């Protein structure tokens, strides 16, 4: 279809088509990203012990945190996990964890709530 349009439109039509294509295929801007180190973070888990998709921490434990946009990568020395199951509660600590999260909100006291997180050990 484009070949037929170029044959029938002539040189000026082809130039206009190329100019329009250049605008459409412009390079995308770089995505924002935030990476920070935290000494301590907290999450919860169900009976399987795998943390839910959030991390709660504070600026005290993440002193270099500056919000540069999503995704948020947290390198956490100790992630405390409260495990809730039908028989009660227990806790676990994961060491040297990287959490990649989709969003964050901060309350007035400097508590950071990261959401939509996935985890891997570092």
């Amino acid at each position: 279809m484009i070949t037929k349009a170029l044959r029938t439109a002539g040189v000026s039509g082809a130039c206009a088509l190329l100019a329009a294509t250049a605008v459409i295929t412009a390079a995308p801007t770089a995505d924002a990203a935030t990476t920070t180190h935290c000494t301590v973070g907290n999450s919860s888990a169900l009976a399987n012990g795998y943390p839910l998709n959030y991390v709660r921490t504070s600026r005290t434990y993440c002193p270099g945190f500056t919000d540069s946009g999503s995704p948020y990568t947290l390198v956490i020395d100790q992630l405390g996990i409260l495990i809730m199951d039908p028989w009660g509660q227990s806790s676990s600590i994961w060491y040297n964890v990287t959490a990649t999260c989709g969003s964050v909100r901060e309350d007035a006291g400097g508590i950071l709530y990261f959401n939509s997180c996935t985890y891997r050990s570092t």
Side-chain angles (χ1 to χ4, degrees):
M1 182 174 213
I2 291 176
T3 305
K4 182 177 180 183
L6 290 175
R7 275 187 282 163
T8 59
V11 174
S12 63
C15 290
L17 180 62
L18 290 175
T21 302
V23 172
I24 293 171
T25 59
T29 58
D31 291 330
T34 302
T35 300
T36 195
H37 173 258
C38 301
T39 56
V40 175
N42 294 298
S43 191
S44 296
L46 300 178
N48 65 6
Y50 193 79
L52 298 176
N53 66 349
Y54 76 90
V55 173
R56 180 182 177 272
T57 188
S58 73
R59 286 194 175 269
T60 301
Y61 299 122
C62 307
F65 176 73
T66 301
D67 191 346
S68 298
S70 176
Y72 299 91
T73 301
L74 310 173
V75 178
I76 306 168
D77 294 341
Q78 295 182 21
L79 180 64
I81 303 165
L82 177 63
I83 302 169
M84 300 169 284
D85 61 40
W87 304 277
Q89 296 179 353
S90 61
S91 62
S92 176
I93 296 176
W94 284 11
Y95 296 95
N96 304 316
V97 175
T98 297
T100 302
C101 307
S103 64
V104 67
R105 73 177 174 80
E106 181 176 4
D107 70 12
I111 304 298
L112 301 167
Y113 300 91
F114 293 90
N115 293 296
S116 303
C117 302
T118 58
Y119 304 93
R120 66 181 171 86
S121 72
T122 51

